[in-house]
Amino acid sequence: MSKNASTNEISGESGPLTSAFEALQSSPEFRGPVEPLEDHEHAHANDHFALIYESQEEQFATAIPFLRQGLERNERCLYITYENSREEILEAMRDYGIDVDTALRSGQLSIHDEEETYLRNETFDADETVDFIDAAIEEATAEYEALRLTGEMSSVLQEDPEGTELVKCEAKANYLFDDADGIALCQYNRNRFPSDVIHDVISTHPLLIHDERVSYNVYYTPPGEFFGPEKTTREVDRQLGALRDQTDTKVRVQQRERFLRESHEITAEPELDFEEKLGKLLNLVRERLDLDAAGLTHLPSWNDKFLNEYTIRYGDESGEVWTDPGEGCYCREVIESDEPVGMADVRGTDWEDDEIYREHGLTCYLGTKVMNGATPYGTLWVGSTEPRDSEFTETERMFLKLIGQWVSYEVEREEREQSLKESNERLEQFAYAASHDLQEPLRMVSSYLQLIENRYGNAFDEDGEEFLAFAVDGADRMREMIDGLLAYSRIETQGEPFELVEFETVLDDVLDDLQLQIEETDAEITADELPRVKGDGNQLRQVLQNLLDNAITYSGSSSPRIHIDAKRREQEWVISVHDNGIGIESANQDRIFDIFDRLHTRDECDGAGIGLALCQRIIERHDGEMWVESEPDEGSTFSFTLPAM
Ligand code: ADP
């Protein structure tokens, strides 16, 4: 193990950890603040812990995992007993999954009593004990990564009932643990120690464990202060400081909660578009930070200047404004940094030379990077022409960073949607051009086939007539497919604007059109009450017509029994057409929505395999989804969703 005295760094097997404290925090048995208290003057910590407990269960719940972690990190582990017997401790270790026998045999673990350790000279002496620990660390580290020591401290009360020497020893030990490869957990039984000793224990340990929580000790007093004449004054300062810190922390938590709630309300507002949300979010940050101006800039890959895409109270706010921040200032610095960059007062720094300061007087600035996937997109910033008295706090930076992350997400989504739209448009254009251009030669084939039949039909023998019939049929099928493709490619481009559509009326119209088929097949079609929706009436009618047509066509040998219903599901309607027909194998249920894909030959059932592809495309245009649920011979249910009004 390499432990650096200045950084207190330990690299364990589980990856580099900055301290034993973090190692303990990373263990599931302990809870504690993940970060040291923000800006706290007592955030200093060495590897000297005190455990304050009231029951054996509580004691073992900390002491045993503490040792187990040491064994896992190849540290020499030492337990000094007094309250519990050696057997009790070993049994507890086994209960916590420690391979006790191997650890004892190898010498990595040993258990001692007070007479072999603190009280080996019969009296308890602070200096001697510190020397003893120092020597033990040295011996242990010849072979192991560190010495991990834990002791039941009540043994000391035999020789030092007032705890005076003990407290002296604990204060001194802090110097030792500051830079030695040792970690100690001093166990204090609250029921055995006088309260004033516990009070001093709290003062002399930088890290406390109580009720399974590991914490930086805000009441810790560095040894130099603990014994000085100013002890009481310092303690009062410390207590007042701790109270102040606690209140500040609470205020910060409340501020964060409020900010998160308010920003969530804005982003979740369905009526607002991106720019309106952005404006509201930036105003929220501006108000919280008490700043005038804000904006979003974009640095396109083809230009070395930033474009002010959105600004509040900065520049002339109208039209496109390009800006060229100098080297390493404002947005130029932000785009290079993963964390927000803040300047409470740019005066007297090289940012003063930048045109953003010279022309717009932006004296105080906080910016965060906006990404488009893995590519930097630009910056989101707030600022003011007035300097600020204080630097930006972590909380303030976090506010802007969170909004920046939301903008990044939106920018990426917008780009994805745009490129999908473009590729769809290109595909539609291609399908349209291809099908349109194919119509002409096909028309020629058909009319010449017609001509051949009219003029030379009588000259054909039986085979010749059959061949001709195949050719005519092929041309007919091709026309059907081309018409289908044309219709498919026009759904987006030739659709009508959305209006109010009564689904009941749509159904009546479709039933009129299918009248003949219904009578021929003796079909029975029933429906629940159907909703009113917003959409393209003609297209929705096409959807229902195709689905009912299929339900009749694929009914098998029994007469078609078809039912249509509509169910409300949160913000949408789910409309379903149930039939009692031949059903579809699950392996084919996705395929049937592909264009020209059919499960039947034309001899079995007529059709071009385009109906469901058209339906799905129309429903997608209405921001809905379409799917089928079916079992062979058990009938099918085709469902689609439409946004509710
Ligand atoms: P077409 O009906 O012209 O073949 P569709 O796209 O409407 O084209 O349907 C594709 C395939 O899905 C059909 O060929 C058929 O095999 C299957 N199918 C559609 N609707 C049903 C249904 N209600 N029951 C069983 N199979 C169906």
Side-chain angles (χ1 to χ4, degrees):
M1 169 168 110
S2 67
K3 178 159 144 183
N4 178 316
S6 57
T7 60
N8 216 18
E9 198 169 76
I10 295 174
S11 41
E13 284 189 354
S14 48
L17 290 164
T18 47
S19 68
F21 176 56
E22 286 184 16
L24 267 193
Q25 285 189 318
S26 70
S27 130
E29 268 105 0
F30 300 99
R31 283 175 284 162
V34 178
E35 304 283 346
L37 296 177
E38 200 176 297
D39 308 327
H40 199 282
E41 58 174 308
H42 313 294
H44 162 83
N46 58 31
D47 295 330
H48 188 197
F49 298 78
L51 162 67
I52 298 173
Y53 61 94
E54 286 169 49
S55 70
Q56 189 200 46
E57 192 192 347
E58 205 184 324
Q59 177 190 16
F60 284 169
T62 295
I64 309 288
F66 173 78
L67 276 193
R68 187 181 58 197
Q69 194 170 63
L71 291 170
E72 284 163 3
R73 291 159 64 96
N74 192 32
E75 294 165 4
R76 169 87 170 84
C77 295
L78 215 138
Y79 194 116
I80 302 170
T81 61
Y82 180 68
E83 291 171 22
N84 298 291
S85 70
R86 181 185 163 89
E87 278 59 44
E88 275 176 306
I89 290 162
L90 292 179
E91 198 182 314
M93 286 187 177
R94 288 196 186 94
D95 289 347
Y96 273 83
I98 298 176
D99 182 356
V100 173
D101 300 320
T102 310
L104 287 174
R105 220 176 304 121
S106 71
Q108 191 186 356
L109 170 70
S110 60
I111 311 229
H112 303 270
D113 62 22
E114 77 284 6
E115 284 163 14
E116 296 170 274
T117 51
Y118 317 129
L119 302 182
R120 66 197 185 295
N121 295 332
E122 287 179 15
T123 54
F124 179 72
D125 179 82
D127 291 332
E128 262 185 41
T129 305
V130 171
D131 287 347
F132 163 75
I133 299 170
D134 197 10
I137 292 175
E138 193 146 341
E139 194 188 318
T141 49
E143 204 180 329
Y144 294 94
E145 301 284 342
L147 174 73
R148 187 172 286 237
L149 177 74
T150 184
E152 296 173 350
M153 304 308 290
S154 41
S155 62
V156 171
L157 291 173
Q158 299 170 83
E159 301 300 324
D160 180 25
E162 307 285 303
T164 348
E165 200 65 17
L166 171 68
V167 170
K168 212 161 102 194
C169 171
E170 292 288 33
K172 283 191 161 188
N174 282 320
Y175 289 124
L176 176 65
F177 286 106
D178 251 347
D179 50 29
D181 289 339
I183 304 161
L185 174 70
C186 308
Q187 304 180 30
Y188 284 93
N189 187 336
R190 230 189 127 175
N191 303 320
R192 296 199 182 209
F193 279 89
S195 288
D196 54 345
V197 179
I198 296 285
H199 172 264
D200 285 349
V201 163
I202 293 178
S203 302
T204 49
H205 288 79
L207 296 162
L208 277 186
I209 304 178
H210 179 238
D211 202 11
E212 289 167 44
R213 288 162 179 81
V214 188
S215 47
Y216 280 99
N217 180 7
V218 291
Y219 303 109
Y220 169 64
T221 316
E225 292 176 23
F226 187 75
F227 297 107
E230 302 277 288
K231 184 180 168 196
T232 315
T233 319
R234 302 246 197 211
E235 195 162 304
V236 170
D237 286 348
R238 203 167 302 286
Q239 285 176 347
L240 290 177
L243 275 178
R244 202 178 50 225
D245 289 343
Q246 209 177 47
T247 313
D248 288 352
T249 307
K250 268 195 193 147
V251 168
R252 259 198 307 273
V253 169
Q254 275 171 358
Q255 279 176 343
R256 283 182 197 202
E257 271 176 7
R258 212 173 87 203
F259 179 82
L260 288 178
R261 198 180 50 246
E262 289 179 2
S263 56
H264 175 72
E265 277 167 13
I266 296 173
T267 53
E269 179 59 66
E271 297 295 313
L272 300 180
D273 66 17
F274 169 73
E275 202 165 299
E276 289 165 328
K277 287 180 185 178
L278 177 66
K280 279 182 174 260
L281 289 168
L282 282 176
N283 278 333
L284 187 67
V285 186
R286 269 187 339 115
E287 275 167 30
R288 286 282 174 285
L289 273 61
D290 196 19
L291 298 169
D292 307 332
L296 171 68
T297 72
H298 175 35
L299 181 66
S301 54
W302 43 267
N303 198 327
D304 196 36
K305 284 185 173 186
F306 286 84
L307 171 67
N308 284 308
E309 282 198 337
Y310 185 89
T311 53
I312 301 173
R313 303 217 186 142
Y314 172 82
D316 71 0
E317 291 187 29
S318 62
E320 285 192 355
V321 188
W322 292 89
T323 170
D324 186 10
E327 287 296 304
C329 305
Y330 297 92
C331 15
R332 190 75 67 188
E333 176 158 346
V334 172
I335 207 147
E336 298 293 330
S337 160
D338 286 335
E339 290 303 316
V341 174
M343 275 286 213
D345 186 355
V346 304
R347 291 172 309 175
T349 72
D350 50 2
W351 286 34
E352 243 185 345
D353 302 333
D354 195 286
E355 74 173 56
I356 291 181
Y357 177 73
R358 281 188 283 110
E359 283 183 26
H360 303 285
L362 210 63
T363 313
C364 150
Y365 173 91
L366 178 67
T368 188
K369 182 159 64 172
V370 172
M371 299 290 287
N372 176 6
T375 321
Y377 176 86
T379 63
L380 189 75
W381 63 271
V382 284
S384 185
T385 47
E386 294 294 320
R388 256 168 77 112
D389 302 341
S390 55
E391 290 300 326
F392 292 102
T393 65
E394 275 311 308
T395 307
E396 291 173 333
R397 288 163 188 265
M398 185 202 78
F399 288 168
L400 190 69
K401 191 172 173 177
L402 280 177
I403 307 292
Q405 283 168 349
W406 175 81
V407 175
S408 299
Y409 173 79
E410 290 292 317
V411 163
E412 197 185 344
R413 197 181 63 155
E414 168 71 21
E415 193 183 86
R416 234 185 359 247
E417 278 176 8
Q418 189 58 31
S419 75
L420 199 71
K421 204 166 144 222
E422 281 167 13
S423 107
N424 273 345
E425 274 170 12
R426 273 198 302 275
L427 217 68
E428 269 176 20
Q429 229 160 14
F430 168 76
Y432 177 77
S435 42
H436 188 262
D437 292 353
L438 281 174
Q439 274 180 330
E440 186 46 38
L442 179 64
R443 223 171 273 138
M444 205 147 127
V445 171
S446 297
S447 36
Y448 279 93
L449 282 175
Q450 196 69 50
L451 213 62
I452 292 173
E453 191 176 22
N454 291 349
R455 254 200 229 168
Y456 309 106
N458 294 338
F460 284 169
D461 63 3
E462 213 171 293
D463 275 356
E465 273 176 16
E466 202 184 12
F467 296 164
L468 188 64
F470 281 145
V472 170
D473 186 46
D476 284 350
R477 240 162 66 197
M478 194 154 169
R479 190 176 330 102
E480 225 180 293
M481 289 167 91
I482 289 175
D483 288 349
L485 201 58
L486 213 53
Y488 186 82
S489 68
R490 284 171 167 172
I491 286 173
E492 198 72 45
T493 45
Q494 310 269 308
E496 297 289 326
F498 289 179
E499 55 188 12
L500 283 186
V501 178
E502 292 286 354
F503 237 91
E504 300 267 352
T505 320
V506 173
L507 177 64
D508 288 344
D509 291 348
V510 172
L511 291 180
D512 277 350
D513 289 347
L514 293 176
Q515 194 54 37
L516 206 66
Q517 244 177 301
I518 294 173
E519 277 166 16
E520 275 173 6
T521 56
D522 197 19
E524 186 184 297
I525 302 180
T526 53
D528 287 355
E529 197 180 324
L530 298 177
R532 173 198 280 188
V533 294
K534 222 169 169 187
D536 179 330
N538 273 333
Q539 291 188 340
L540 292 179
R541 176 181 161 148
Q542 228 175 317
V543 171
L544 202 58
Q545 176 139 5
N546 275 330
L547 293 182
L548 290 180
D549 192 340
N550 280 348
I552 297 173
T553 308
Y554 302 104
S555 63
S557 46
S558 50
S559 317
R561 294 286 170 268
I562 301 163
H563 183 70
I564 305 152
D565 61 27
K567 292 197 174 71
R568 179 77 185 239
R569 194 170 71 181
E570 290 178 10
Q571 288 309 306
E572 58 189 16
W573 284 106
V574 183
I575 299 173
S576 303
V577 177
H578 310 265
D579 69 43
N580 62 336
I582 58 173
I584 305 158
E585 300 231 13
S586 58
N588 293 327
Q589 288 175 8
D590 284 342
R591 244 183 71 190
I592 55 171
F593 292 99
D594 292 343
I595 197 160
F596 301 141
D597 224 332
R598 320 192 54 225
L599 306 178
H600 300 89
T601 63
R602 280 171 77 86
D603 291 341
E604 289 170 316
C605 291
D606 214 16
I610 202 147
L612 288 177
L614 271 179
C615 291
Q616 195 177 44
R617 189 100 181 83
I618 290 173
I619 294 302
E620 276 169 9
R621 182 181 171 225
H622 287 75
D623 282 334
E625 282 177 86
M626 180 175 245
W627 68 95
V628 64
E629 288 153 294
S630 177
E631 292 276 344
D633 301 326
E634 300 277 323
S636 311
T637 297
F638 282 84
S639 303
F640 57 91
T641 58
L642 289 171
M645 293 196 309

